[in-house]
Amino acid sequence: MIRPARTSDAAGIAAIWNPIIRDTSITFTTTLKTPEALAVQIADTPVWVAEEAGALLGFITWGPFRGGPGYAATAEHSIHIAAGARGRGIGRALMARAEAEARRTGIDVLIAGLSGENETGIAFHTACGFQKVGHLPGVGQKFGRKHDLVFMQKTL
């Protein structure tokens, strides 16, 4: 089931997101997510979750790409699937819901910022109709190394 996140989902979202932050270069942040901060995010921004038998399997969220009114119809998203739930179509279902909800609220462009090492994420976004529109070499840093940032875009 795909549904809007509730603040009570914050700990489950943190349980999915924090191993990705801690253990991978999929995201360049090193600051772990707290349930308290995620509860605020859930209250303030769109967050949707995939749930099965009471367990969270993944989530997607989006917000402004850049500040200012000229970017009001463009959003950047983050999508993460729990390790044991990947490859089951959950990401596609979350993306489809996010696209519909974003479109409904006046968003007509979604942006993904991906680590150049995240071949799975790049392939996923390509399969969802995103196109690579930018490549910034060495702008991210994590694990004592520099990482490329790939921008992908989809017009809704």
Side-chain angles (χ1 to χ4, degrees):
M1 169 177 41
I2 307 296
R3 63 169 174 77
R6 301 183 285 257
T7 55
S8 60
D9 294 320
I13 292 170
I16 293 169
W17 213 339
N18 283 336
I20 293 166
I21 292 169
R22 184 183 55 244
D23 303 330
T24 77
S25 61
I26 288 173
T27 178
F28 301 151
T29 189
T30 56
T31 304
L32 297 178
K33 304 294 183 177
T34 66
E36 297 79 17
L38 287 169
V40 170
Q41 182 176 349
I42 290 166
D44 291 344
T45 61
V47 182
W48 288 74
V49 296
E51 177 185 36
E52 181 179 81
L56 292 187
L57 304 178
F59 70 93
I60 191 166
T61 184
W62 61 94
F65 171 63
R66 296 187 81 180
Y71 295 101
T74 301
E76 184 172 2
H77 72 279
S78 293
I79 182 169
H80 296 291
I81 309 302
R86 296 178 187 139
R88 296 177 38 198
I90 294 164
R92 286 179 186 257
L94 282 166
M95 184 63 74
R97 178 56 63 96
E99 289 176 12
E101 290 299 317
R103 194 178 303 111
R104 186 183 65 75
T105 61
I107 302 298
D108 59 20
V109 175
L110 282 179
I111 302 290
L114 300 132
S115 167
E117 295 180 356
N118 186 0
E119 294 176 7
T120 301
I122 293 168
F124 167 77
H125 282 84
T126 300
C128 289
F130 284 74
Q131 296 180 352
K132 182 178 175 182
V133 293
H135 187 126
L136 304 174
V139 297
Q141 295 187 40
K142 193 167 185 182
F143 303 134
R145 310 182 275 121
K146 291 190 174 203
H147 300 270
D148 294 359
L149 176 62
V150 174
F151 279 116
M152 298 185 79
Q153 174 180 327
K154 183 173 184 178
T155 301
L156 305 178

